[in-house]
Amino acid sequence: MMVSQGLYNSSLLKLSEKLLTNFKHFTTLRSSIVAKDYDLVVIGGGSGGLACAKEAVSYGKKVAVLDFVTPSPQGTTWGLGGTCVNVGCIPKKLMHQAALLGEAVHDAKEFGWELPDPSTVKINWTRLVEAVQNHVKSVNWVTRVELRDKKVEYINGLGHFADPNTVIATLKNGTEKVLKTDHVLIACGGRPSFPDCPGAKDYCITSDDIFSLEKPPGKTLIIGAGYIGLECAGFLKGMGFEATVMVRSVVLRGFDQQMAGLITEEMTERGIKFLQKCIPVSFEKVQSGRILAKWKNTIDNTEGSDEFDTVLMATGRRALTKELKATNAGIDLDNSSSKVIAKLEQTNVPNIFAVGDVLQGKPELTPVAVQAGKLLAARLYGKSHTQMDYTNVATTVFTPIEYGCVGYSEEAATQHYGADNLEVYHAFYKPLEFFIPQRSPARCYLKVVCLRNAPRTIVGMHFLGPHAGEVIQGYAAAVKCGMTFEQLENTVGIHPTVSEEFTRMYITKRSGMDPTPQSCCS
């Protein structure tokens, strides 16, 4: 009897200990879930993710934003705000403006300003970078304050999925924070990619680095002829640095190729060199401290080489879905690009959404991500039914001669509608500002692609010249509303502006007439 009582007491003690352990575990788990329970977790603190987060809290939702910048191979990092604010649109436009001001110094003398010899004027790179970075950092600070004021929880951590409703944030000190959530928004964007050739990551920089580069870039090789590569080459040359662009296939792939050809001609005339149909082979640091770049022509297999102070990679961007561990949540990714496949913004996992550059097949533009993010939050929490419209999104390439466009390129319109169903109006023009300094207007050109049959609905507009972004923005709204060519030609222009040139067009490509004007009012 005593033995049985002892066994009974021992079993009872073990059971009590087990119940106590389970209770403590349950209490800890419950506390953890309650403390880290969110309506929405946003992975990525760029423009699209922030827009969605701020809209969601306006409906009284509990939102966390995760943002962490892994240093570039050259060690560059930055603050909250994403690519656009830190290493994209904002610093790019400021440096483009710096180059335009350098050009304006030469024009100013012709307009009567008594200035030093323009040939002696040069850029102070260090001062420029300091000014640009001061502005960027001010935006970083304002963004942090705005999130705090709106009660959005900001977590400086690298987020990845554990499952569809669980996000793990790896903090700067290496610890992990578990976030349980109803909805997840993927807004992590992408980072520059490097070609698989020796020395690329060791000696080359990207757009992640150029806007905070401590020393002047000097003689620069830009690998890649997309809009990032051309814009960087343009402002560097405008500041007086020698610039060479290596083109693997075509310039500005995806854009209207006639416009791309005119941009290439203009940049060549300004002294920018182009290595056509070439790919990089290797990069190495030589005794002088310069980078020896070697390349190969893909047509005839000839090889070339030269030494540069800086080599900038602009060979595309990769989506950060590997770091996101998207497969843990069962998210469908494109096999080629690793971008998120989604119907509009909703992935195949019902509670997980994506906006911005990480989305497959959508325009990689900041305003697109912002609009998509705001509309998504309004649908999830505000009973809205408005979907993002990804058609007829305008954009501008800030090359030395700017290019703005909205709608179809001529090639895409031809493929979609057929050449016989299109009418293309076009014209060269000379901005009034070009007359006194006698600047060449050879590539100031615009065209309108429209359907041939009445009322000639406009499906594409293209503008090459000063202030292209400002010009095309207004026409983008009109194209969005279904503007016809009849309406365009019945619009009275503002004289004398470059934008009015759209209202004066009457020559079609089909006619074979000379599209060059005879005077500023012809």
Side-chain angles (χ1 to χ4, degrees):
M1 185 69 180
M2 292 294 294
V3 174
S4 300
Q5 183 67 42
L7 287 173
Y8 174 78
N9 289 339
S10 175
S11 299
L12 186 62
L13 180 62
K14 288 180 180 179
L15 179 61
S16 298
E17 289 175 348
K18 188 174 181 180
L19 286 172
L20 182 61
T21 300
N22 288 342
F23 177 75
K24 287 180 178 179
H25 177 71
F26 172 76
T27 303
T28 303
L29 183 62
R30 183 179 181 276
S31 174
S32 173
I33 292 173
V34 170
K36 300 171 184 178
D37 181 35
Y38 300 90
D39 297 295
L40 173 67
V41 169
V42 178
I43 304 177
S47 303
L50 293 175
C52 186
K54 289 183 285 187
E55 185 74 11
V57 295
S58 73
Y59 297 105
K61 300 304 176 181
K62 189 176 181 183
V63 180
V65 171
L66 279 62
D67 189 64
F68 186 88
V69 180
T70 303
S72 74
Q74 300 305 324
T76 306
T77 188
W78 51 86
L80 180 63
T83 298
C84 175
V85 166
N86 293 283
V87 290
C89 320
I90 301 301
K92 176 269 302 288
K93 179 72 181 295
L94 291 173
M95 288 200 167
H96 173 63
Q97 177 65 15
L100 293 181
L101 288 172
E103 193 173 59
V105 170
H106 294 265
D107 290 349
K109 193 169 185 179
E110 300 296 325
F111 277 99
W113 285 95
E114 295 182 357
L115 299 171
D117 182 356
S119 64
T120 66
V121 177
K122 62 179 182 179
I123 191 80
N124 184 322
W125 176 265
T126 303
R127 187 173 177 183
L128 169 64
V129 167
E130 182 182 4
V132 169
Q133 289 305 310
N134 283 344
H135 175 70
V136 168
K137 287 178 174 60
S138 72
V139 178
N140 297 151
W141 173 251
V142 169
T143 304
R144 287 283 298 270
V145 171
E146 190 177 16
L147 290 185
R148 183 192 64 196
D149 291 347
K150 291 181 179 294
K151 303 296 189 294
V152 176
E153 183 179 347
Y154 165 59
I155 301 171
N156 184 209
L158 186 65
H160 70 266
F161 282 101
D163 59 56
N165 294 97
T166 308
V167 174
I168 309 296
T170 304
L171 307 182
K172 195 172 183 178
N173 61 9
T175 62
E176 292 186 343
K177 183 173 183 178
V178 179
L179 296 88
K180 295 287 185 177
T181 181
D182 288 335
H183 297 113
V184 181
L185 175 65
I186 301 170
C188 55
R191 295 290 290 272
S193 59
F194 286 81
D196 185 18
C197 58
K201 286 190 176 182
D202 297 318
Y203 307 119
C204 303
I205 67 170
T206 68
S207 56
D208 281 355
D209 311 290
I210 186 68
F211 304 113
S212 57
L213 200 64
E214 292 182 355
K215 62 178 183 178
K219 180 182 177 182
T220 304
L221 172 65
I222 297 93
I223 313 289
Y227 72 91
I228 294 175
L230 294 191
E231 289 173 339
C232 290
F235 69 65
L236 289 175
K237 181 60 181 177
M239 295 174 191
F241 302 111
E242 189 176 335
T244 301
V245 178
M246 185 179 296
V247 186
R248 178 178 61 87
S249 53
V250 298
V251 172
L252 289 179
R253 177 181 295 279
F255 288 88
D256 188 282
Q257 285 301 291
Q258 181 190 9
M259 309 305 282
L262 290 169
I263 291 170
T264 305
E265 291 175 10
E266 178 71 18
M267 293 179 71
T268 300
E269 189 172 285
R270 290 171 181 251
I272 297 170
K273 300 174 184 177
F274 283 83
L275 299 171
Q276 298 285 357
K277 307 297 182 184
C278 291
I279 57 173
V281 173
S282 66
F283 304 94
E284 61 180 282
K285 207 69 163 289
V286 295
Q287 192 171 2
S288 65
R290 282 186 152 189
I291 300 168
L292 174 62
K294 297 180 180 180
W295 60 85
K296 181 177 72 173
N297 186 289
T298 58
I299 303 300
D300 57 17
N301 287 324
T302 57
E303 296 182 351
S305 66
D306 199 356
E307 293 182 10
F308 298 88
D309 298 301
T310 302
V311 178
L312 189 152
M313 287 292 172
T315 50
R317 299 175 67 83
R318 64 177 186 86
L320 295 176
T321 49
K322 181 179 179 181
E323 291 84 343
L324 191 67
K325 298 184 181 179
T327 53
N328 286 355
I331 301 166
D332 286 343
L333 303 178
D334 181 79
N335 291 331
S336 176
S337 68
S338 295
K339 289 189 175 188
V340 175
I341 298 172
K343 183 178 181 181
L344 292 178
E345 296 82 40
Q346 189 173 35
T347 71
N348 62 300
V349 183
N351 71 303
I352 299 177
F353 303 82
V355 297
D357 294 0
V358 76
L359 267 179
Q360 175 68 15
K362 301 296 190 294
E364 296 181 6
L365 299 167
T366 296
V368 171
V370 170
Q371 181 81 338
K374 289 174 64 177
L375 292 176
L376 173 61
R379 290 197 307 276
L380 287 176
Y381 309 119
K383 299 181 180 179
S384 171
H385 299 286
T386 305
Q387 298 282 355
M388 176 65 190
D389 184 358
Y390 289 96
T391 61
N392 290 327
V393 174
T395 191
T396 294
V397 181
F398 290 98
T399 36
I401 185 169
E402 297 174 2
Y403 168 39
C405 60
V406 61
Y408 284 96
S409 66
E410 188 174 347
E411 295 88 354
T414 300
Q415 184 177 9
H416 185 79
Y417 295 104
D420 292 340
N421 297 318
L422 295 176
E423 199 72 86
V424 180
Y425 292 83
H426 68 148
F428 286 94
Y429 67 98
K430 186 170 184 177
L432 183 62
E433 298 90 333
F434 283 22
F435 277 85
I436 289 181
Q438 290 300 307
R439 286 170 59 184
S440 170
R443 284 109 199 162
C444 289
Y445 175 79
L446 66 164
K447 67 178 174 181
V448 174
V449 183
C450 60
L451 301 182
R452 192 175 182 185
N453 294 332
R456 291 177 289 170
T457 301
I458 294 173
V459 298
M461 298 184 76
H462 301 266
F463 179 92
L464 200 57
H467 317 296
E470 312 300 334
V471 169
I472 211 68
Q473 179 67 82
Y475 288 110
V479 171
K480 199 80 173 174
C481 293
M483 179 172 60
T484 66
F485 195 80
E486 280 85 347
Q487 291 169 329
L488 180 62
E489 63 185 351
N490 285 324
T491 299
V492 178
I494 301 172
H495 189 67
T497 66
V498 290
S499 184
E500 74 169 322
E501 300 297 336
F502 271 124
T503 69
R504 300 168 56 198
M505 303 177 77
Y506 66 94
I507 296 173
T508 66
K509 284 191 173 183
R510 192 186 303 277
S511 72
M513 294 174 60
D514 181 7
T516 306
Q518 301 305 308
S519 72
C520 74
C521 297
S522 63

